[in-house]
């Protein structure tokens, strides 16, 4: 498994957190820092599904779902503490409700990135799906940034934040569904 993207992302997250705030910075600066951190952690987590041993044609006593969940668990074991520390550092600067919204955005982005990597690996046979998932994550993030006001996902206006975060919830549910589907072993048949 590749550990270098996680190490590099941890250093970048530390730099983002240590970057000094402007004198007149509002709470939105802290929210955008959390969004950048969520993107960095997602990009690094996508590489956890790179499996050089997947090309070996041999029976495995461990089902695909267990192997996938193990790798996703390793990604979560790194991503959740990094996110928790980020929340603790930024917490004094942003309202509590936005910490919850940012955590929802992080979870949706992380699951969507892992689902994209699993889709690239299982459906399209990519031996290194992390690169594909990273490119798709950056493209998706830029697409979400360019959405117009009524359907914007990165909003700071309280009157539309609920509808924007409902869209984030839909992305989270869709990512979980794709991840569960792609972790089903194709060798299993129904009885």
């Amino acid at each position: 498994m590749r550990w270098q993207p996680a190490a590099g992302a941890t250093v970048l997250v530390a730099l983002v957190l240590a970057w000094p705030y402007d004198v007149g910075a509002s709470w939105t600066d802290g929210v955008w820092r959390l969004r950048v951190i969520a993107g960095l952690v997602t990009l690094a987590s996508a590489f956890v599904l790179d499996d050089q041993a997947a090309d070996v044609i041999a029976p495995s006593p461990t089902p695909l779902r267990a192997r996938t969940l193990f790798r996703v668990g390793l990604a979560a074991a790194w991503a959740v503490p990094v996110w928790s520390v980020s929340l603790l550092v930024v917490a004094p600067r942003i309202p509590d409700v936005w910490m919850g919204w940012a955590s929802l955005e992080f979870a949706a982005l992380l699951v969507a990135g892992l689902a994209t990597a699993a889709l690239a690996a299982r459906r399209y046979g990519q031996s290194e799906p992390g690169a594909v998932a990273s490119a798709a994550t950056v493209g998706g993030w830029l697409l979400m940034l360019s959405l117009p006001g009524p359907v914007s996902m990165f909003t700071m206006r309280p009157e539309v934040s609920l509808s924007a975060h409902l869209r984030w919830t839909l992305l989270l549910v869709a990512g979980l569904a794709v991840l569960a589907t792609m972790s089903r072993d194709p060798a299993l048949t129904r009885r």
Side-chain angles (χ1 to χ4, degrees):
M1 235 183 291
R2 294 193 175 172
W3 58 269
Q4 295 91 343
T10 304
V11 170
L12 289 175
V13 166
L15 289 173
V16 169
L17 291 174
W19 195 267
Y21 283 85
D22 290 335
V23 175
S26 69
W27 59 272
T28 59
D29 186 33
V31 172
W32 278 105
R33 284 181 194 231
L34 288 177
R35 288 174 173 168
V36 168
I37 290 168
L40 290 171
V41 171
T42 299
L43 290 175
S45 296
F47 287 95
V48 79
L49 293 177
D50 285 5
D51 189 3
Q52 300 301 324
D55 295 332
V56 176
I57 301 171
S60 173
T62 308
L64 179 62
R65 180 155 293 164
R67 293 191 313 260
T68 303
L69 286 177
F70 177 74
R71 288 174 177 273
V72 169
L74 285 177
W78 166 75
V80 170
V82 169
W83 182 253
S84 300
V85 168
S86 301
L87 284 178
L88 287 174
V89 170
V90 178
R93 301 194 181 274
I94 64 173
D96 290 340
V97 70
W98 280 99
M99 287 179 56
W101 291 134
S103 295
L104 173 64
E105 293 173 11
F106 165 69
L109 199 60
L110 181 66
V111 169
L114 290 171
T116 304
L119 184 68
R122 307 295 187 258
R123 178 71 61 152
Y124 299 107
Q126 297 285 326
S127 62
E128 296 183 4
V132 174
S134 294
T137 300
V138 169
W141 207 69
L142 292 174
L143 177 70
M144 288 186 277
L145 277 174
S146 67
L147 290 174
V151 292
S152 175
M153 292 181 76
F154 289 114
T155 183
M156 295 302 222
R157 297 183 320 201
E159 63 272 8
V160 294
S161 65
L162 181 61
S163 61
H165 288 91
L166 284 175
R167 288 186 286 278
W168 280 104
T169 304
L170 289 175
L171 179 64
L172 176 63
V173 170
L176 287 171
V178 169
L179 195 57
T181 303
M182 291 299 113
S183 67
R184 185 177 183 281
D185 202 328
L188 292 177
T189 57
R190 292 182 182 253
R191 294 184 183 184

